[in-house]
Amino acid sequence: GSQDEGHSRDKAAWQPAIPCSRSRQESEFSNMLAAHSGRRTRWQRQAAEFLRTRIACHIQAALRNYPWPIKKRILAAPPLPATNGNCGVIVMTTKRDWLDALWSAYSWQYFAPVLSSPTIVVDGDVTEEMQSAARRIMRGATVSPASAYLAPCNELIPNQRSLLRRYRFGRKIAVVLSTSIRSSFIFSDSDVLLLRGPTEILSHVATQTRLPFCNVEQGGDAWNAPDIVDLMRNEGIQPIRGFNSGLMYIPSNSLDLDLCARCLQSQAEGREHYFAEQSMFHAALSKAGAQRLNPTTYAISNEGAYFYQRDVDYSVLEARHFTGMVRHKMYTAGMPILARSIGL
């Protein structure tokens, strides 16, 4: 009796454990499989996205460097009459991007004839072929080497001669600062295209003659030299979120040259931050109370950079700054729009 009773108790205690243990083990195993399957799915998604992005980067680079035939069509553009307004236009470029600069300068003279004929500044040698091409399609336009602005700038911000020559964007600094003490002007990188009349720009230039303006992008605050950011903070200068120096209006004598000099002095010789130039203009224009152009109509964005991304809506744009990742869109979208406008 006691053996049967003990056996029954052991059996009763042991038997239910079989299904419970098996159920728990199966459940744990199922959860492990599900988790493993989930990780594998995430890995596959990440791998697919990585491969797609890598492929898109190669395509984007190929499109940017492709010798687009449309670039040379600007040489056959109908000539525009000379203009002589109260505000000049400077389009800065390199010899490599010379044709881009012609498109940019032509868009300014075509859509904003109340401004003065543009000056194209080349960071490099200027040839007679460049001079004649610009004069042929834009009466009154001039082409100048950036090196011509170095000596005047050396007088404005002493002890920076080496930086202005060595630093990648040193000549741009020289061009803007030396011109700013003589006249009011709009500065435009060669990858900025007007796509229709720049109503906001022209209204600002006509009514806010002492206030600069600047183009802004979404974010962009990471593109600042830390030393110059600290200088701005210490002097209580309120930054402009998303500041970009590719399109600026600089009223005559509106920039604090002492501030500009201190910004450049903060950069260790030979180790200048890549965006020291943009950060310096950020500080100077912020202190001068620069206003932001509407980013909806004056776009700086990477939208459409990759083949699988939707591009911006060009029907609402007055201008777009075709920065590095979307430079190919200047050739596939921007220039064709401008070409249709001018009947080219």
Side-chain angles (χ1 to χ4, degrees):
S2 60
Q3 282 184 335
D4 291 342
E5 186 177 347
H7 178 72
S8 299
R9 283 199 301 268
D10 291 342
K11 185 176 181 180
W14 180 76
Q15 282 182 335
I18 296 176
C20 287
S21 176
R22 184 175 298 161
S23 176
R24 184 169 58 250
Q25 290 173 356
E26 290 175 350
S27 177
E28 291 176 354
F29 184 68
S30 297
N31 290 338
M32 184 182 69
L33 285 178
H36 178 73
S37 176
R39 284 197 300 271
R40 187 171 57 191
T41 301
R42 286 196 297 273
W43 179 86
Q44 288 173 336
R45 287 198 300 266
Q46 291 170 357
E49 180 61 26
F50 174 79
L51 290 174
R52 184 172 73 159
T53 302
R54 291 293 294 174
I55 293 170
C57 284
H58 285 294
I59 293 174
Q60 180 253 3
L63 291 174
R64 173 175 178 167
N65 296 314
Y66 181 74
W68 294 96
I70 194 171
K71 295 171 71 170
K72 291 186 177 181
R73 286 173 59 186
I74 192 62
L75 299 174
L80 298 175
T83 56
N84 187 24
N86 294 325
C87 178
V89 177
I90 291 179
V91 176
M92 191 162 182
T93 189
T94 62
K95 194 169 183 179
R96 173 186 173 182
D97 294 327
W98 163 247
L99 291 175
D100 293 0
L102 281 182
W103 278 95
S104 179
Y106 194 94
S107 74
W108 283 102
Q109 190 154 337
Y110 181 81
F111 285 118
V114 298
L115 305 175
S116 292
S117 296
T119 295
I120 302 176
V121 178
V122 181
D123 192 1
D125 296 330
V126 174
T127 65
E128 179 56 37
E129 182 182 7
M130 291 177 174
Q131 295 276 11
S132 61
R135 289 193 298 263
R136 186 170 62 250
I137 63 174
M138 293 174 287
R139 308 290 191 235
T142 58
V143 184
S144 303
S147 57
Y149 295 81
L150 289 173
C153 190
N154 288 331
E155 297 179 6
L156 298 175
I157 48 172
N159 305 319
Q160 297 300 325
R161 182 189 305 270
S162 175
L163 180 144
L164 295 177
R165 291 184 178 278
R166 178 185 67 249
Y167 173 49
R168 176 171 180 169
F169 301 110
R171 274 71 62 205
K172 177 177 177 178
I173 294 172
V175 169
V176 173
L177 295 187
S178 59
T179 304
S180 71
I181 64 169
R182 300 196 308 268
S183 60
S184 300
F185 66 101
I186 292 171
F187 178 89
S188 172
D189 281 346
S190 61
D191 54 358
V192 174
L193 278 186
L194 294 186
L195 303 173
R196 54 185 47 83
T199 54
E200 184 180 356
I201 286 177
L202 297 181
S203 175
H204 181 101
V205 170
T207 60
Q208 305 290 336
T209 55
R210 298 308 308 158
L211 282 179
F213 69 58
C214 63
N215 211 5
V216 294
E217 55 188 310
Q218 296 296 323
D221 293 328
W223 316 130
N224 284 305
D227 293 333
I228 297 178
V229 172
D230 291 341
L231 189 153
M232 292 175 65
R233 186 181 297 112
N234 292 338
E235 300 206 2
I237 298 174
Q238 186 66 30
I240 301 170
R241 184 165 179 78
F243 176 88
N244 186 285
S245 63
L247 176 56
M248 306 180 288
Y249 168 57
I250 312 291
S252 176
N253 293 303
S254 63
L255 301 183
D256 184 336
L257 297 179
D258 179 65
L259 173 63
C260 293
R262 284 184 284 121
C263 287
L264 297 181
Q265 289 166 3
S266 72
Q267 301 301 292
E269 182 175 353
R271 298 198 303 274
E272 296 84 7
H273 192 278
Y274 184 84
F275 289 105
E277 160 268 324
Q278 178 159 282
S279 302
M280 184 205 74
F281 287 125
H282 186 185
L285 268 72
S286 295
K287 184 174 182 180
Q291 297 182 352
R292 298 156 44 110
L293 290 173
N294 184 351
T296 302
T297 49
Y298 294 86
I300 313 176
S301 77
N302 289 331
E303 291 180 68
Y306 298 149
F307 66 88
Y308 54 84
Q309 294 177 330
R310 178 178 296 180
D311 201 359
V312 297
D313 181 2
Y314 289 94
S315 67
V316 301
L317 295 185
E318 294 185 1
R320 185 176 189 184
H321 187 177
F322 294 89
T323 52
M325 287 189 66
V326 293
R327 180 66 60 82
H328 59 289
K329 290 295 182 179
M330 185 176 183
Y331 313 130
T332 61
M335 288 180 181
I337 291 172
L338 182 54
R340 288 194 294 270
S341 297
I342 64 180
L344 186 59

